[in-house]
Amino acid sequence: MSDSRAAIRYAKAVLDLAVQNKATSAVEKDMRSIVATIADSKELRAMLASPVVNGETKKKALSAVFEGSDQITLGLIKTLVANKRISILNEVALKYIILNEDLKGEGVAYVTTAVPLSADLEKKVLKQIAQITGNAVTIENKIDESIIGGFILRVGDLQYDSSISNKLNTIKREFTSSL
């Protein structure tokens, strides 16, 4: 929980600096690159989480990987290393993207379903989300057959889980706690 709050604080600070320097788009591009790179590299994730690898080595590696990034992004990496918080880099990047989308008045709604959404259903979901949030959003549909049915909706920090697997797990917990 404290890592999440710390990530939000770092993301807000980076966003404030990016707004002052009129570099929000460039920094958002960097943050998306960070998220994609960390997601694609098992070795990078292991290095960031490793207490054995020292901070200076992590800083050099990340500076090489994200060479050509905006100075604000490189400053974030240096600050996280100096404060021994580099393990939350991915979370800071994700929070920055969300905060910047909110600032622009747009966002992405992640809808996880067992089967792909039809075009008609996607329009209905977009309409409902626009009413709830007041923002224009785009939908990113993720397919996860393990949820069995229903959906999981995530917009920013809000999540609504109406999946069959979640309902079954709830019933299971209630049943086992009543024994």
Side-chain angles (χ1 to χ4, degrees):
M1 185 68 152
S2 63
D3 282 350
S4 180
R5 288 198 311 251
I8 290 171
R9 286 194 306 270
Y10 280 108
K12 285 181 180 177
V14 170
L15 182 62
D16 289 344
L17 190 57
V19 168
Q20 287 174 2
N21 293 321
K22 296 176 178 47
T24 54
S25 296
V27 175
E28 182 176 350
K29 181 179 172 227
D30 292 345
M31 295 299 160
R32 289 187 185 280
S33 172
I34 287 170
V35 170
T37 304
I38 291 173
D40 290 343
S41 176
K42 183 177 160 185
E43 294 83 12
L44 185 58
R45 286 192 306 273
M47 183 205 58
L48 289 174
S50 174
V52 176
V53 180
N54 69 25
E56 194 59 35
T57 304
K58 291 177 182 181
K59 184 170 76 173
K60 285 179 184 176
L62 290 169
S63 295
V65 170
F66 300 112
E67 187 178 15
S69 294
D70 192 275
Q71 288 303 310
I72 295 170
T73 305
L74 296 174
L76 170 66
I77 291 170
K78 290 176 187 171
T79 302
L80 289 173
V81 168
N83 294 340
K84 297 182 179 8
R85 294 292 224 159
I86 195 64
S87 62
I88 65 169
L89 176 63
N90 189 56
E91 194 171 354
V92 172
L94 288 169
K95 298 294 183 190
Y96 177 90
I97 293 166
I98 291 168
L99 290 171
N100 194 43
E101 287 173 344
D102 287 346
L103 183 68
K104 294 187 295 189
E106 59 187 50
V108 178
Y110 298 96
V111 181
T112 305
T113 55
V115 295
L117 287 175
S118 67
D120 186 44
L121 189 55
E122 191 171 317
K123 287 178 188 175
K124 289 179 183 177
V125 171
L126 278 172
K127 184 178 176 184
Q128 287 294 328
I129 294 170
Q131 286 178 345
I132 294 168
T133 64
N135 291 335
V137 296
T138 57
I139 286 187
E140 187 173 311
N141 186 209
K142 295 180 181 179
I143 309 302
D144 182 0
E145 294 176 358
S146 70
I147 69 168
I148 304 170
F151 64 93
I152 301 171
L153 172 66
R154 190 172 65 82
V155 181
D157 286 342
L158 303 173
Q159 180 168 312
Y160 179 73
D161 190 341
S162 181
S163 65
I164 302 296
S165 64
N166 183 48
K167 290 177 182 177
L168 289 172
N169 285 334
T170 303
I171 293 168
K172 180 181 176 183
R173 279 192 305 272
E174 289 173 2
F175 182 73
T176 56
S177 67
S178 66
L179 291 179

